Amino acid sequence: MKKLGFGLMRLPLLDRTDDGSIDLEAAGKLVDRFLEKGFTYFDTAWAYHAHRSEAAVKTLLTDRYPRDRFALATKLHANFLRAPEDRDRIFNAQLEKTGAGYFDRYLLHGIGGLSYPKYLEYDCFNWLREKKRQGLARSIGFSFHGMPELLDEILTNNPDLEFVQLQLNYLDWESPWIRSRECYETARRHNRPIVVMEPVKGGTLARLPEEAERLLKSCAPDASVSSWALRFAASLEGVTTVLSGMGSLEQMEDNTGSFDDFQPLTSEERALVFRAAEIVNARTAVPCTGCAYCVEGCPRKIAIPQYFSLYNEDMRESLETKGWTANYNNYILLTGKFGRAVDCIACGQCERVCPQQLPVIVHLKRVASHFDGV
């Protein structure tokens, strides 16, 4: 199986203010091209695209292609568990929504310090093993958003889990919050195959500051900026799959092109991407990946990832000379449907579910000061 996987959480939309409005026609063209080029791995989850990604799988894949033509992964998230019976309720609904019959890979989703106790409370690891015994989950593992010490504990206590999905990219490699390198080294120490998520960090590593882009282009003028991030992740020993969300045919062609004749990064190229990371980190106000886990439970329905993205864009602009940017208009457009940043009541729900462990409330106050003037 080729290393590139299609992450189905950033599909093209009919309405950019509605994450559930998947443009099935456009998405179908992406799926067709992905398979046409010899790639087979698709990754979704219960909550992606406002709970509509798995249903899109049926429309885009299982209704149109033989089951042995593709591999499908999905996940069980602790946030949706209120009782032990919820495990089977969700799993059976996923089978029905996708029409897949079975899952090639099934994961416990986004394990971290706060969610891990619930997975233990509801005996999810043994439940996962039972799904494998039933043949409904061909391979079992988990995605992880926590510290390497917890990862070591889980892998030690569950030696039969077959893979782990980690957030690995050159921007987070030495991050004190994500600790990508240490998590990677922990998985390698346990000899577990690794699936990579967020290799381009929600698009951050596809749009670098001019200085960082110039640095990479000086080495490979014809290579896209995002291809460097994908190659970094895929070059790591033990990595079997690199997931990337793709919302356009242009992204599809670029990403698959990086894997058609894959070339691992050289030591000199690794040094360049780490230099680029230093430049990006110095200019990124809020290191949000846009996963949107924070949005669903927000009592004020604040479009947190979108506001952070607009704020980051403005922080990269020369505001002293421009005075105004289009991001202000985009902010007002979003507030017609969502709560404003200033509406935050500091309940902390967003911070409890943030995989990046961001101080979301503090950042929202900065956004409110910038766009709402308070």
Side-chain angles (χ1 to χ4, degrees), residues 326-360:
N327 295 318
Y328 282 85
N329 276 359
N330 291 330
Y331 178 75
I332 296 301
L333 177 67
L334 285 167
T335 59
K337 188 169 185 177
F338 299 100
R340 306 172 78 96
V342 73
D343 295 334
C344 174
I345 59 173
C347 67
Q349 184 279 146
C350 51
E351 295 187 353
R352 288 191 290 272
V353 300
C354 177
Q356 313 304 316
Q357 303 183 53
L358 298 178
V360 179

Side-chain angles (χ1 to χ4, degrees), residues 6 11-12 22-32 56 60 64:
F6 194 166
L11 294 170
I22 299 171
D23 185 337
L24 293 173
E25 182 179 355
K29 293 177 181 178
L30 298 179
V31 166
D32 292 345
L60 301 172
R64 300 170 64 228

Side-chain angles (χ1 to χ4, degrees), residues 94-130:
Q94 290 174 311
L95 286 174
E96 182 178 357
K97 287 168 70 176
T98 61
Y102 64 89
F103 298 113
D104 298 273
R105 285 180 177 170
Y106 197 86
L107 301 83
L108 300 182
H109 193 175
I111 296 182
L114 293 176
S115 63
Y116 184 51
K118 181 173 279 190
Y119 286 120
L120 294 179
E121 177 185 357
Y122 292 121
D123 198 23
C124 289
F125 290 94
N126 284 325
W127 173 86
L128 193 61
R129 294 180 179 99
E130 180 59 26

Side-chain angles (χ1 to χ4, degrees), residues 35-65:
L35 290 167
E36 181 183 313
K37 295 200 67 177
F39 298 88
T40 59
Y41 189 84
F42 295 84
D43 173 272
T44 185
W46 180 250
Y48 289 175
H49 279 292
H51 300 271
R52 296 175 190 171
S53 178
E54 289 172 326
V57 166
K58 188 173 190 303
T59 303
L60 301 172
L61 271 172
T62 55
D63 283 351
R64 300 170 64 228
Y65 289 96

Side-chain angles (χ1 to χ4, degrees), residues 26-308:
K29 293 177 181 178
L30 298 179
V31 166
D32 292 345
R33 185 58 175 154
F34 189 72
L35 290 167
E36 181 183 313
K37 295 200 67 177
F39 298 88
T40 59
Y41 189 84
F42 295 84
D43 173 272
T44 185
W46 180 250
Y48 289 175
H49 279 292
H51 300 271
R52 296 175 190 171
S53 178
E54 289 172 326
V57 166
K58 188 173 190 303
T59 303
L60 301 172
L61 271 172
T62 55
D63 283 351
R64 300 170 64 228
Y65 289 96
R67 183 62 183 87
D68 60 0
R69 184 79 165 76
F70 61 90
L72 180 63
T74 194
K75 314 174 188 77
L76 177 77
H77 201 295
N79 280 0
F80 304 103
L81 300 179
R82 300 293 181 269
E85 52 267 28
D86 286 338
R87 301 169 305 179
D88 280 338
R89 177 183 62 81
I90 291 172
F91 188 88
N92 291 336
Q94 290 174 311
L95 286 174
E96 182 178 357
K97 287 168 70 176
T98 61
Y102 64 89
F103 298 113
D104 298 273
R105 285 180 177 170
Y106 197 86
L107 301 83
L108 300 182
H109 193 175
I111 296 182
L114 293 176
S115 63
Y116 184 51
K118 181 173 279 190
Y119 286 120
L120 294 179
E121 177 185 357
Y122 292 121
D123 198 23
C124 289
F125 290 94
N126 284 325
W127 173 86
L128 193 61
R129 294 180 179 99
E130 180 59 26
K131 293 306 171 192
K132 181 175 174 61
R133 283 192 289 269
Q134 295 170 357
L136 297 174
R138 301 292 174 87
S139 181
I140 56 175
F142 62 100
S143 62
F144 186 76
H145 285 293
M147 296 296 100
E149 294 81 8
L150 177 59
L151 180 59
D152 182 65
E153 177 184 333
I154 295 170
L155 293 175
T156 299
N157 293 339
N158 300 277
D160 57 335
L161 294 185
E162 297 163 283
F163 65 96
V164 59
Q165 188 161 303
L166 299 175
Q167 178 171 322
L168 298 179
N169 58 68
Y170 65 79
L171 194 63
D172 293 325
W173 195 242
E174 298 295 348
S175 164
W177 303 104
I178 309 302
R179 297 171 70 182
S180 280
R181 176 182 57 78
E182 294 175 78
C183 286
Y184 167 74
E185 291 171 352
T186 300
R188 291 298 298 147
R189 192 164 60 250
H190 285 270
N191 198 31
R192 302 299 169 83
I194 298 167
V195 176
V196 174
M197 57 184 165
E198 298 292 352
V200 193
K201 200 171 172 66
T204 296
L205 299 181
R207 301 180 299 275
L208 299 182
E210 184 178 342
E211 180 184 355
E213 181 171 345
R214 190 164 57 243
L215 181 71
L216 300 183
K217 289 291 186 182
S218 68
C219 176
D222 296 329
S224 70
V225 171
S226 58
S227 71
W228 284 82
L230 293 173
R231 288 177 59 218
F232 171 83
S235 297
L236 296 170
E237 187 177 353
V239 168
T240 63
T241 309
V242 177
L243 299 174
S244 179
M246 292 171 274
S248 69
L249 281 172
E250 181 182 11
Q251 291 176 356
M252 175 66 65
E253 295 297 339
D254 184 44
N255 289 0
T256 54
S258 298
F259 289 83
D260 284 335
D261 181 23
F262 179 71
Q263 299 294 324
L265 290 185
T266 66
S267 57
E268 292 80 8
E269 289 173 325
R270 279 176 61 89
L272 280 181
V273 298
F274 287 134
R275 173 61 188 133
E278 294 175 0
I279 297 169
V280 176
N281 279 322
R283 301 190 185 186
T284 302
V286 185
C288 170
T289 67
C291 71
Y293 294 164
C294 55
V295 174
E296 184 166 341
C298 176
R300 298 292 184 171
K301 301 188 184 304
I302 300 171
I304 298 169
Q306 292 96 322
Y307 294 167
F308 285 170

